Amino acid sequence: MALREVAQKQARGQRVWCVPYARNLSGIQIRGNAKDWWGRARSTFERGNEPAVGAVMSFRATRGMPLGHVAVVSDIVTDREVIVNHANWHRNKVSLKMGVRDVSKRNDWTLVRVETQPGRYGNFYPVNGFIYPKDDG
């Protein structure tokens, strides 16, 4: 469904943003800019520092990324590396199966590097943590 919505937006010449993509992919119904998701999740969703498949990684706002960013964890490789799917990391595109490495000093996922091209990791980005989808079971 998330990819179908992206294709429809692109066909209409509309911008593809990380927030609606992450919301559709994860089922975590939070609105507003990515930088606000962490705070808005506080009373409704579990949050933490441990990656989990289906969780949303909440990136803090930075000078280069003033609206923040959100990505959905699709796989856990090691305790310091996950795979994510997200939109608009590369302008107006969906990026599937991109690696993210925890480079924080305390191994707590507060600082990461994101795979920009296969096998190439870019700048350092601060992360709030992970927002976990509700367990419907």
Side-chain angles (χ1 to χ4, degrees):
M1 180 174 130
L3 289 174
R4 185 172 43 238
E5 183 175 312
V6 166
Q8 290 170 348
K9 284 180 181 282
Q10 288 173 329
R12 291 190 302 260
Q14 295 176 321
R15 183 82 181 262
V16 176
W17 295 100
C18 65
V19 166
Y21 181 79
R23 186 173 43 241
N24 288 338
L25 191 59
S26 69
I28 294 175
Q29 296 300 312
I30 297 178
R31 304 240 174 233
N33 292 324
K35 69 178 182 171
D36 301 323
W37 273 44
W38 187 251
R40 290 186 178 171
R42 179 181 300 121
S43 61
T44 310
F45 296 92
E46 294 291 323
R47 305 179 308 168
N49 290 41
E50 289 292 322
V53 172
V56 171
M57 180 183 284
S58 169
F59 289 75
R60 293 179 183 267
T62 64
R63 191 173 63 170
M65 203 167 56
L67 298 179
H69 186 70
V70 287
V72 180
V73 177
S74 63
D75 198 11
I76 297 177
V77 179
T78 69
D79 61 343
R80 305 271 327 253
E81 185 171 1
V82 298
I83 304 297
V84 299
N85 295 328
H86 53 160
N88 208 37
W89 190 258
H90 296 292
R91 187 172 176 83
N92 211 29
K93 293 187 169 134
V94 170
S95 299
L96 302 175
K97 299 181 180 177
M98 289 181 69
V100 178
R101 290 184 179 155
D102 174 21
V103 293
S104 62
K105 290 180 181 175
R106 294 185 178 155
N107 300 340
D108 61 4
W109 289 92
T110 55
L111 189 66
V112 301
R113 291 181 75 192
V114 178
E115 191 174 28
T116 56
Q117 299 294 327
R120 296 183 61 198
Y121 288 77
N123 295 332
F124 293 82
Y125 293 94
V127 170
N128 293 306
F130 299 90
I131 303 168
Y132 307 110
K134 291 184 177 181
D135 183 6
D136 294 333

